[in-house]
Amino acid sequence: GDSVTQMEGPVTLSEEAFLTINCTYTATGYPSLFWYVQYPGEGLQLLLKATKADDKGSNKGFEATYRKETTSFHLEKGSVQVSDSAVYFCALSGRGNTPLVFGKGTRLSVIA
Amino acid sequence: GAVVSQHPSRVICKSGTSVKIECRSLDFQATTMFWYRQFPKKSLMLMATSNEGSKATYEQGVEKDKFLINHASLTLSTLTVTSAHPEDSSFYICSARGSLGVGEQYFGPGTRLTVT
């Protein structure tokens, strides 16, 4: 079945460092891909999405490119801030009414 | 757009009582709603999927008689934890999907349930 694998955390970075969180997927067909962010004590927020190969999703300085050839959707940000500390989930769309398939999440801590 | 609310945000109840959690899509019609449970520092665990007007589909290992899900309208789903016990204490999150879009789900802010 469909699956998402993302890098194990936690990831600790200094403010203004470059961020990469790796995400790869296995799926039949052409799923849409998503990154969600969860701040402490809150639900998940949709951060960005991409619907087809070579699409780049971007939001709040974060970017991810849908790479079909490597089945990847890595999340990047050029300069992280303390406020970016959160858990990040990579996900792909299920078929029909099936739920999103999530990775296990990567905890990011940014220190000043 | 695409706002999902959840109520209550926090609830404390005594063991043996029942608790109802509401999930509402505020600005779109949710054809499908999902209920998740999340343990501290863990990923989401899908409990059930519900389509408006249909019975919910529960994931393996989730007791349908203990976690009652109702999706009576296109904007409201409820989760009732019946005869709650301390081991039911957790963070419960709902999410909703509309008929438009590309499969994304919009999440509520979560409900912290503590059973004493």
Side-chain angles (χ1 to χ4, degrees):
Chain A
D2 296 351
S3 66
V4 173
T5 302
Q6 60 183 106
M7 60 189 289
E8 296 279 337
V11 174
T12 302
L13 294 174
S14 297
E15 209 166 20
E16 299 183 2
F18 185 85
L19 168 71
T20 301
I21 300 178
N22 290 337
C23 171
T24 57
Y25 67 90
T26 302
T28 54
Y30 304 96
S32 294
L33 301 173
F34 308 89
W35 276 100
Y36 283 82
V37 58
Q38 184 179 29
Y39 298 102
E42 299 182 11
L44 277 68
Q45 298 176 26
L46 179 62
L47 181 60
L48 53 84
K49 64 185 177 185
T51 60
K52 61 184 188 297
D54 300 325
D55 263 4
K56 176 186 282 188
S58 62
N59 186 26
K60 299 181 181 180
F62 291 90
E63 292 183 343
T65 301
Y66 191 144
R67 300 286 188 202
K68 192 172 187 304
E69 64 277 12
T70 54
T71 61
S72 65
F73 193 53
H74 305 321
L75 182 69
E76 296 182 336
K77 186 174 185 183
S79 176
V80 293
Q81 305 301 311
V82 173
S83 57
D84 294 326
S85 298
V87 180
Y88 293 82
F89 292 93
C90 185
L92 63 82
S93 62
R95 303 179 193 179
N97 287 330
T98 59
L100 290 172
V101 177
F102 283 96
K104 293 187 176 182
T106 302
R107 184 174 300 276
L108 170 66
S109 294
V110 180
I111 53 177
Chain B
V3 178
V4 176
S5 70
Q6 238 179 285
H7 178 79
S9 58
R10 289 179 176 271
V11 58
I12 301 173
C13 71
K14 292 186 184 298
S15 188
T17 62
S18 295
V19 173
K20 180 185 285 189
I21 302 170
E22 289 188 351
C23 177
R24 293 181 185 273
S25 56
L26 299 184
D27 52 1
F28 68 103
Q29 294 188 324
T31 50
T32 308
M33 285 188 168
F34 308 89
W35 286 94
Y36 294 84
R37 185 172 177 177
Q38 188 176 36
F39 295 98
K41 298 190 176 181
K42 297 291 186 184
S43 187
L44 302 169
M45 183 190 83
L46 178 67
M47 298 175 67
T49 300
S50 74
N51 295 299
E52 185 263 340
S54 302
K55 287 185 179 180
T57 301
Y58 289 80
E59 295 299 300
Q60 193 171 7
V62 178
E63 299 176 58
K64 63 180 181 181
D65 294 330
K66 180 166 186 60
F67 298 100
L68 300 178
I69 292 171
N70 184 283
H71 190 170
S73 77
L74 284 171
T75 58
L76 173 65
S77 177
T78 59
L79 166 68
T80 302
V81 183
T82 63
S83 186
H85 291 286
E87 57 266 30
D88 299 324
S89 299
S90 194
F91 192 55
Y92 292 88
I93 311 176
C94 73
S95 75
R97 175 186 285 163
S99 58
L100 302 177
V102 291
E104 60 266 58
Q105 294 171 209
Y106 295 96
F107 285 80
T111 296
R112 171 74 57 193
L113 170 64
T114 303
V115 185
T116 60

